[in-house]
Each structure stands twice: as structure tokens, then as C-alpha cells.
Amino acid sequence: MTLLPSDPHVITVGADLLGEALDAQAVPRIAVDWRPPLPGTAPALARVLADPRRSAANELAVGRLLSARPLLVDVRPAADALGLERGTFLHAGPPITWERASGPMRGALIGAMLLEEMAATEEEAQRLLAGGEVRLDPCHHHRAVGPMAGVVSPSMWVFEVRDAEHGGTAYCSLNEGLGKVLRYGAYGREVLDRLRWMGAVLGPALRAALRVTGPIDLRALIAQALQMGDELHNRNRAATSLFLRELAPALVEAAPAHAAEVLRFASGNDHFFLNPAMAAAKVSTDAARGVPGSSLVVAMARNGTDFGVQVSGLGERWFTGPAGVPDGLYLGAYGPADANPDIGDSTITETSGLGGFAMAAAPAIVRFVGGEVGDAVTATRSMYEITLAEHPAYQIPGLGFRGTPVGIDVALVARTGLLPVVNTGIAGRVAGTGQVGAGLVSPPAEAFIAALNALAFDK
């Protein structure tokens, strides 16, 4: 001890075994939460971290994301807004074929065929879909996003969100509510009747109301909802209430014949605001696309079979891995055996710093997805390790109004071994079952490793 000028300090790194032994002996220590990089990523990680473009490219890309100002400007038929032609259906996630599609995706496509009167029966719809008579394309390829199966057909109506800062536009379908709905793969008569009402009444009424209100500032609304206990993926109660407060007087003025039924429908669905929030997230992350050398993730999406990511510096390429089954709480008698692998474009919320990345703002979310309040706080704190910035507008009161972690960096994911936290609804694996629960899911590491390798070695 005479060799040491003062008492020694013990630092433990990595595995807890040594640290636990010291704790048992009441030895003070400083714990460092260190993990090795994702397996097999060392060569690619070294090249990406050494890329002289990376720092400036990421600063530019995340700066665009943070400065986006999404405004809700219109509600329009998809045929008009997206140029969808008869026989073209959009879907969630990376590209998928009918042969590889999961139960809820197949169910939603069957329902869209019946809605568009391209088939008279379920059997005819399946035959036409299997025969390649219909064109399937990801929503993301059309500046759009869709929750769960995410199927959009020409007659459906969509929210139109414009970025007042960078000029981009993004779209998302209208929310049907919970229970047996198309996005979970249901296609019964009540599902189709609701969709027809949404096209004939809900969409036109919302459009008329927006003509009265003018553009609605979604960034400001989301920021306020975060401070009221939402995280904008699986909890949208405050945001929906704020949204309807903006729209209600205009609905009464612009669509008096339908205002009551529209407000009754929307106010009975706490997830009504999820869809404009998704479009706001999409237009924000799209602003960060196309920066050479940037390792910023600009999209995460699932189609019920694959989980895919896109990266700013890698164009429109998808990097995929198998979608996992969420771990969470199940409804009624349902259990893990009833669950479909993760599905939907709603992970665009996490990509923009909301959803699982903002769970510390929404302690009540654990009643829906499982876990304890402390788990929600831990989840958000861990995401600061794999992101490039903190959002200047989206702040978390419980963390001293710290901005939400935003700007997922594939290099930081590989370096830390931490995967993005995603909270999600759980669809039944059998078409038509609907929602069976909600929980948390880990994306496949393979998708991020493939993107990192492309950044490192594809020139």
C-alpha cells in the first residue's frame, strides 16, 4: 500500500460477475456499462468510423431531421394523393410477395381486393393475389407509411403532411380504431363497411375542416402531447384529444351534417392521432435522406416477415433480417403462440425519436406493453447511446425536459451492441384475428450489420 499515494478505486467493466463479488464484500466500485461490438462487425466498424465524411455527413443529416416542421395540410383519396392506380396496393415494411406474406398481411390484402371490388369473394381475391394480378409495393417507396399491415388501396383516404422547412411531403392512411380492423388482417363485412364510411364521410369531413383551420402544426402538438404523458406510438390519448380540440369547431362549421358521427368515431379511438404522427415522423426522417457518408437510419419498417432499415448514405436500399415476435401483454386468452412476427411502418416513430425512444415520457405505457415504470425510463436512457442528437422540441419532463434521443446511427448500434427499443401492437398470426396484445420487440441485428457492411465496403 505504500506504493499508492491514496486509497485505490475499483472500476469494473463488462460482465457483472466480478462486480457482484466486490459488492458482496462491501467494496466500493465504479461500474462501467461496456459491451463488445456486435459479432463480426469489427472490420466494417473500423472503416466506417474512420470515414472522413462521416462526422459532417451525420451532422447535416440529423440537422435536417431536427429542423423539419411537419404541418397537416390536407386529407385526400390515395388515388389522387399517391397516384395509385386500380390493381396497385401499398403495404408496410420492405418489399414482400404474396408467397412470403404473413397472415395479417394476406388478410389486409384480401380485404383491399374486396373493398376495391376487384374480387367478389375471399377465394377469388386469394387466387388473383397468388397469380400476380396485383402490384404490391412498400408504402415507403411512395413517401407514405401505414400502421400494422399498412395496406393502402386507391379508394382509401390519407393524411397529407408537408415539411414547411424542407418542402417534403408524406402520407398516412386514416386510423380505423381497434378490434377487428383491416390493418390487423380482418376483412369481414363490418371492416369493409367501416372503410367505405371512412371514404364517404370521414375523409371528406376532415378535409373540409382543414380548409377552415388551415395547416395544423404537428410538431407543436406532438411536443405538447409528450409533456402530457404520450409517447406517440402506442399511447396517443393526449395527442388525439389535442387534435380533436383543434378540429372540432371547424368540423361543426364545415361538415355540420356529419360532425357528430365523425367526432364520436374519432374520440372513441385513442389511437386516432397515431396516423398523422406517423406521417409527421416520415416527412421528418425523409428530410435526412441522401447524404453521402451518413450512417443515420432514416427508416425502420416491418412487413410481418422481415424487419428492414434504410440509411441516409445508402439511398433506397433495404437491409433486412427476420421480424421477431414481440414480448408483452396479451388480450384475453391469447398468448405467444397466437402472435404474428412484428409488422407495420409505425417504427417510423422510433426512427424520429418517439415511441420506444420516448417511453420515459409515458409511464402509463407499461400498463399496455408490460414491464415497470422504471423499465420505460431505462429504455429511453439507453437510446441516447445509439443516437446522434437530442430533439430540441420533443422533451421529456421526467428527465428534466431533456430532448428525446433521435438519429439512430448504425455505427453506434454496432459499437455498443444496443438495438433500438420498439414498442408495438401484436397482430394475430391468423388472418382476421385482429390485435392479440402489445409489447416490446428487438429488431434483428442482421439488418444493422448488413447496413454497416454496405457503408464500409460498397463503393
Side-chain angles (χ1 to χ4, degrees):
M1 295 297 293
T2 58
L3 297 177
L4 300 176
S6 61
D7 292 339
H9 297 277
V10 181
I11 300 174
T12 58
V13 180
D16 288 333
L17 183 61
L18 176 59
E20 291 169 355
L22 292 171
D23 292 342
Q25 300 173 67
V27 176
R29 67 185 178 100
I30 299 171
V32 176
D33 185 12
W34 178 86
R35 303 170 189 82
L38 290 175
T41 62
L45 186 59
R47 288 178 65 99
V48 171
L49 293 177
D51 187 341
R53 302 172 301 168
R54 178 174 170 269
S55 179
N58 280 343
E59 183 177 355
L60 174 61
V62 79
R64 290 178 180 174
L65 192 164
L66 296 177
S67 61
R69 292 195 295 123
L71 305 177
L72 177 62
V73 297
D74 208 350
V75 182
R76 301 166 61 191
D80 175 31
L82 302 172
L84 287 191
E85 299 179 352
R86 183 175 175 81
T88 297
F89 295 145
L90 306 186
H91 64 79
I96 190 77
T97 61
W98 173 259
E99 290 73 22
R100 297 186 66 244
S102 64
M105 180 66 76
R106 289 190 174 201
L109 290 168
I110 291 169
M113 293 286 286
L114 298 173
L115 177 68
E116 300 296 336
E117 299 182 345
M118 292 184 62
T121 66
E122 172 188 346
E123 292 75 20
E124 183 184 7
Q126 291 193 58
R127 179 177 57 80
L128 292 171
L129 286 160
E133 301 297 320
V134 174
R135 180 188 173 212
L136 305 180
D137 209 24
C139 289
H140 273 286
H141 292 183
H142 297 261
R143 296 176 296 158
V145 281
M148 304 311 290
V151 170
V152 178
S153 65
S155 70
M156 296 178 187
W157 284 58
V158 294
F159 290 109
E160 180 177 310
V161 174
R162 188 166 301 144
D163 177 3
E165 181 68 21
H166 306 288
T169 306
Y171 303 88
C172 187
S173 54
L174 310 185
N175 197 288
E176 308 162 77
L178 298 176
K180 290 190 178 296
V181 290
L182 187 82
R183 71 180 185 276
Y184 279 101
Y187 52 87
R189 179 183 297 274
E190 72 276 18
V191 175
L192 299 180
D193 286 347
R194 186 189 305 113
L195 288 169
R196 292 187 179 107
W197 174 82
M198 291 171 69
V201 176
L202 179 63
L206 292 174
R207 178 171 62 181
L210 276 169
R211 296 288 190 271
V212 175
T213 64
I216 293 177
D217 187 340
L218 297 183
R219 176 177 164 121
L221 196 155
I222 290 168
Q224 188 173 359
L226 280 169
Q227 298 190 24
M228 296 171 68
D230 283 356
E231 43 70 67
L232 281 301
H233 188 167
N234 276 290
R235 184 176 171 87
N236 282 276
R237 180 171 293 181
T240 295
S241 298
L242 292 169
F243 187 46
L244 293 181
R245 188 176 73 173
E246 293 273 351
L247 286 176
L251 275 167
V252 173
E253 178 181 340
H258 299 294
E261 61 179 315
V262 167
L263 287 170
R264 190 176 300 113
F265 174 80
S267 63
N269 172 17
D270 285 342
H271 288 278
F272 191 73
F273 187 75
L274 169 63
N275 296 45
M278 288 174 57
K282 169 65 174 168
V283 82
S284 300
T285 56
D286 274 2
R289 286 179 176 268
V291 180
S294 174
S295 50
L296 176 76
V297 174
V298 293
M300 297 192 297
R302 314 90 90 205
N303 56 32
T305 303
D306 307 310
F307 188 112
V309 301
Q310 292 181 314
V311 175
S312 175
L314 294 171
E316 301 298 315
R317 296 170 61 184
W318 286 98
F319 302 91
T320 63
V325 175
D327 179 22
L329 301 179
Y330 286 86
L331 305 175
Y334 292 120
D338 302 299
N340 195 78
D342 199 20
I343 187 170
D345 285 334
S346 55
T347 35
I348 197 67
T349 57
E350 279 83 6
T351 315
S352 68
L354 300 170
F357 285 48
M359 287 205 299
I365 194 70
V366 300
R367 301 288 297 273
F368 189 60
V369 301
E372 304 293 336
V373 171
D375 298 331
V377 175
T378 298
T380 294
R381 288 189 182 279
S382 68
M383 293 300 93
Y384 290 107
E385 297 189 44
I386 63 170
T387 49
L388 296 166
E390 298 179 15
H391 204 289
Y394 301 161
Q395 298 175 345
I396 301 173
L399 298 183
F401 293 93
R402 187 177 184 183
T404 64
V406 62
I408 303 165
D409 182 351
V410 293
L412 292 179
V413 171
R415 177 65 189 86
T416 64
L418 283 172
L419 294 167
V421 173
V422 174
N423 62 44
T424 182
I426 305 174
R429 62 182 180 82
V430 177
T433 301
Q435 184 174 10
V436 299
L440 301 176
V441 68
S442 293
E446 299 97 308
F448 296 90
I449 293 172
L452 184 75
N453 284 328
L455 279 169
F457 302 116
D458 294 359
K459 301 299 181 184

